[in-house]
Amino acid sequence: MKSKLRRFTAVLSAMLCMICCVLSAVPAFAVDVSSGDLSSNVNRVKRFSQMIDYAKNNNIDIEHSHYIMTYFEDSSQYYWWYYIFFIPDDFLVDNTLNLTHGKIEKYGYASSIGGRVSDYGNSDSMDISFNDNVSISGYKFYVDDDEQSHSYSNHIFKSNIKITNNGDDVTPVDPNAPPVPFTVDYSPALSEGMSRKGTLVAPGASNNGQEIESNGLNVRVTLTDEFLKLRDSYDELKDYTYEFVCYITTSPPEKSSYEESVKNAVYTSLDYGKYMYTTSGVVDDVTDDNKEPTEWIKAEGINAGYIIGKGGEVKNVTINLENLDSSQFTADTKLYIVVYGRLTSLSVPTPDYFDLDNQGYLCNQGSLNTKQIVTVNADPETGEGIDVVMPDYYCVTSTAFNYKDYPEYKPKIFKNGAEMDTNKPFTDYLDKKLTPDYMYDYDMDKKGESGLAPDDFKKYEEQKNLDKNFGSFDFGLDSIKSVFDGSSDFFKFLTASIGILPTTFLTILIAFFVVMLAICVVKWVLK
């Protein structure tokens, strides 16, 4: 009996040992909660973050409101004050708040969130309150270059609107903010009550004075000098550019939400051309001669995206008003053109085509303007280097516009003869919801072969995988050790063979062996 007990104890110990080994492979994570002295700027960010949390908990919408964040910090004062002033729309001119010697020269009422910090600003806690129906004439701000405003205690920290004082731009600039990546221009200039018809002015021409009608609207997206300068400052950044979608909506995202803006889209600009259909992302499997990634599939056909190609700075998008379904509009319907883009690198994948497969991120991106940290000059061993702040997702919304009348609606006709309605949100055209005309991979592209229709390409891929997994039977087994060598052809053949078996079959097979092993162990212990 003691012998059986020893056997059982030994088996149990071995099992526990195996479990411990598995658990020991799980990495442990530690959180450093230590903190040092906060700089003034970091401290303000902390305070306003507390106030933003307060707003969220009390259903106060800051994100879609016009606001100015201010602070009053005086080392001689026991209380330090922080405010978020909300600015009504009718106090703005072209989305700009105009001050005169730091004051709002207009009568009205608005609301604000106030935060008070005791102990000369050193207290961790903050007394926060919401103040409604406050006289907006009491909004007075300190402006550096205006001595007449220096009697006011509130310094402007941040704002989501443009601010001028005596006509000078005094909008605060975040030193940690990335540069504006691109600008958008429109031709003709947008306004309400636009006309498609006019008189041609061409002195000396035979058609001078002729009545003309134009249904074209051009949108030009241009990378800014600041973005180009940042991109060209490091070799690791030289391949960065922007890809974007362009749509018309009745709900500007800044005043509603990004999701609502997409949902209420009445037009999506579609293009016909080549685009990246799918890619595995950062690919390690590269060729020795040109270092290009090999795990991608390109396609040609209709897609909803544009990209500013390698070495380029400008991308033009043409909107045909005939493809805009105006039957849903009223005389008061205001339209907005939204260009929504994101930072992308042309190095992986190398081809500079719009990445349709990854644009699902656009559909779920909640914040309109974000930043991305890119490490350059990294040490190959430690990975440490210089962190560069790059813009990431970025959105530009046009001013409101509409036309006195619109042409009769027609579906858009592409060069392949296909007709397609463009009056849907762009999300209906992403995530491979559009079937391409042709598809081809790296090998086909390198050989200069033409693309294949999707069904033919699927057969091509299946045959390619078969050739890759079972094309060679020279396993080169020179010893028993070679059988278990993970890099040997035999091992690759074995794993590929197992890989094509149905998952259900493998599950049943493994379960069978586990049960049989358990029975054997129990019988051996009870002998």
Side-chain angles (χ1 to χ4, degrees), residues 242-262:
Y242 263 80
E243 56 187 3
F244 62 89
V245 291
C246 177
Y247 63 95
I248 299 177
T249 182
T250 56
S251 302
E254 292 84 358
K255 293 186 177 180
S256 53
S257 68
Y258 174 65
E259 293 77 9
E260 193 71 15
S261 171
V262 173

Side-chain angles (χ1 to χ4, degrees), residues 348-416:
V348 178
T350 297
D352 52 346
Y353 298 135
F354 179 81
D355 194 347
L356 182 65
D357 185 50
N358 288 330
Q359 288 311 298
Y361 293 121
L362 285 177
C363 311
N364 303 315
Q365 182 66 23
S367 182
L368 297 177
N369 301 326
T370 59
K371 60 185 178 181
Q372 181 180 145
I373 307 298
V374 180
T375 302
V376 299
N377 294 341
D379 185 283
E381 295 183 359
T382 64
E384 297 180 354
I386 301 173
D387 289 338
V388 179
V389 181
M390 299 281 286
D392 195 4
Y393 290 89
Y394 190 72
C395 179
V396 175
T397 304
S398 73
T399 186
F401 76 99
N402 53 30
Y403 284 83
K404 295 177 181 177
D405 64 334
Y406 297 88
E408 183 179 350
Y409 175 73
K410 297 178 183 178
K412 185 170 182 176
I413 301 177
F414 297 87
K415 69 178 185 180
N416 62 347

Side-chain angles (χ1 to χ4, degrees), residues 97 99 143-145 156 162-165 168-173:
L97 178 65
L99 304 177
V143 180
D144 287 337
D145 297 330
I156 300 174
K162 182 179 179 180
I163 305 173
T164 65
N165 184 63
D168 297 327
D169 189 348
V170 294
T171 309
V173 177

Side-chain angles (χ1 to χ4, degrees), residues 109-223:
Y109 292 90
S111 57
S112 67
I113 299 175
R116 187 182 70 174
V117 180
S118 61
D119 193 19
Y120 302 94
N122 293 316
S123 174
D124 289 333
S125 61
M126 190 180 202
D127 296 326
I128 306 174
S129 62
F130 177 72
N131 309 300
D132 198 10
N133 205 31
V134 177
S135 174
I136 202 168
S137 59
Y139 288 9
K140 303 174 183 179
F141 311 104
Y142 179 103
V143 180
D144 287 337
D145 297 330
D146 187 350
E147 291 187 2
Q148 293 190 42
S149 71
H150 289 183
S151 61
Y152 308 138
S153 56
N154 285 314
H155 293 248
I156 300 174
F157 176 69
K158 184 180 179 181
S159 176
N160 65 344
I161 55 175
K162 182 179 179 180
I163 305 173
T164 65
N165 184 63
N166 305 328
D168 297 327
D169 189 348
V170 294
T171 309
V173 177
D174 183 357
N176 298 317
V180 173
F182 60 80
T183 58
V184 183
D185 299 302
Y186 314 92
S187 180
L190 302 179
S191 63
E192 295 184 44
M194 297 174 64
S195 176
R196 298 181 297 113
K197 301 176 183 179
T199 302
L200 179 65
V201 179
S206 59
N207 55 353
N208 182 39
Q210 180 179 334
E211 291 294 320
I212 58 173
E213 180 177 301
S214 174
N215 291 322
L217 184 58
N218 186 66
V219 180
R220 183 177 62 188
V221 181
T222 307
L223 296 178

Side-chain angles (χ1 to χ4, degrees), residues 201-371:
V201 179
S206 59
N207 55 353
N208 182 39
Q210 180 179 334
E211 291 294 320
I212 58 173
E213 180 177 301
S214 174
N215 291 322
L217 184 58
N218 186 66
V219 180
R220 183 177 62 188
V221 181
T222 307
L223 296 178
T224 63
D225 292 339
E226 292 78 10
F227 175 82
L228 294 173
K229 182 179 179 180
L230 178 61
R231 186 182 70 178
D232 296 340
S233 59
Y234 297 97
D235 288 340
E236 294 94 330
L237 305 180
K238 64 182 180 180
D239 288 326
Y240 278 93
T241 186
Y242 263 80
E243 56 187 3
F244 62 89
V245 291
C246 177
Y247 63 95
I248 299 177
T249 182
T250 56
S251 302
E254 292 84 358
K255 293 186 177 180
S256 53
S257 68
Y258 174 65
E259 293 77 9
E260 193 71 15
S261 171
V262 173
K263 179 182 177 182
N264 292 329
V266 295
Y267 173 88
T268 295
S269 186
L270 299 178
D271 189 29
Y272 186 95
K274 294 179 180 178
Y275 57 91
M276 186 58 55
Y277 187 77
T278 186
T279 176
S280 61
V282 180
V283 182
D284 294 326
D285 181 15
V286 297
T287 58
D288 293 331
D289 54 344
N290 54 20
K291 302 300 181 183
E292 290 186 348
T294 61
E295 295 182 14
W296 50 252
I297 298 172
K298 286 191 291 189
E300 181 175 339
I302 302 170
N303 64 89
Y306 299 84
I307 190 168
I308 301 176
K310 183 171 289 187
E313 300 177 9
V314 178
K315 190 71 175 181
N316 289 294
V317 177
T318 300
I319 297 173
N320 187 345
L321 295 177
E322 291 180 331
N323 306 141
L324 183 64
D325 186 4
S326 61
S327 62
Q328 52 192 312
F329 303 159
T330 67
D332 298 326
T333 299
K334 296 180 181 180
L335 304 177
Y336 303 84
I337 297 177
V338 177
V339 173
Y340 187 45
R342 71 166 187 171
L343 185 71
T344 187
S345 175
L346 301 179
S347 58
V348 178
T350 297
D352 52 346
Y353 298 135
F354 179 81
D355 194 347
L356 182 65
D357 185 50
N358 288 330
Q359 288 311 298
Y361 293 121
L362 285 177
C363 311
N364 303 315
Q365 182 66 23
S367 182
L368 297 177
N369 301 326
T370 59
K371 60 185 178 181

Side-chain angles (χ1 to χ4, degrees), residues 342-518:
R342 71 166 187 171
L343 185 71
T344 187
S345 175
L346 301 179
S347 58
V348 178
T350 297
D352 52 346
Y353 298 135
F354 179 81
D355 194 347
L356 182 65
D357 185 50
N358 288 330
Q359 288 311 298
Y361 293 121
L362 285 177
C363 311
N364 303 315
Q365 182 66 23
S367 182
L368 297 177
N369 301 326
T370 59
K371 60 185 178 181
Q372 181 180 145
I373 307 298
V374 180
T375 302
V376 299
N377 294 341
D379 185 283
E381 295 183 359
T382 64
E384 297 180 354
I386 301 173
D387 289 338
V388 179
V389 181
M390 299 281 286
D392 195 4
Y393 290 89
Y394 190 72
C395 179
V396 175
T397 304
S398 73
T399 186
F401 76 99
N402 53 30
Y403 284 83
K404 295 177 181 177
D405 64 334
Y406 297 88
E408 183 179 350
Y409 175 73
K410 297 178 183 178
K412 185 170 182 176
I413 301 177
F414 297 87
K415 69 178 185 180
N416 62 347
E419 291 188 8
M420 183 169 292
D421 290 326
T422 54
N423 55 352
K424 301 176 183 177
F426 76 81
T427 48
D428 284 14
Y429 308 106
L430 297 180
D431 291 326
K432 298 194 283 286
K433 293 179 181 178
L434 297 178
T435 302
D437 293 339
Y438 305 102
M439 301 174 68
Y440 47 105
D441 63 3
Y442 175 85
D443 293 332
M444 296 172 63
D445 186 54
K446 186 178 180 181
K447 296 174 184 177
E449 298 177 357
S450 301
L452 299 173
D455 290 341
D456 294 334
F457 183 82
K458 184 177 180 181
K459 296 176 183 177
Y460 160 81
E461 275 198 310
E462 291 174 350
Q463 184 60 48
K464 185 178 177 180
N465 289 332
L466 287 174
D467 293 341
K468 178 181 177 181
N469 293 328
F470 306 109
S472 172
F473 291 92
D474 182 14
F475 299 130
L477 298 178
D478 52 9
S479 66
I480 189 65
K481 182 180 178 182
S482 301
V483 175
F484 302 101
D485 183 0
S487 62
S488 68
D489 289 339
F490 177 78
F491 191 86
K492 293 178 181 177
F493 170 78
L494 186 63
T495 54
S497 301
I498 295 174
I500 63 175
L501 294 174
T503 305
T504 305
F505 175 79
L506 291 175
T507 303
I508 296 174
L509 185 65
I510 293 172
F512 172 78
F513 277 107
V514 170
V515 171
M516 293 301 296
L517 179 62

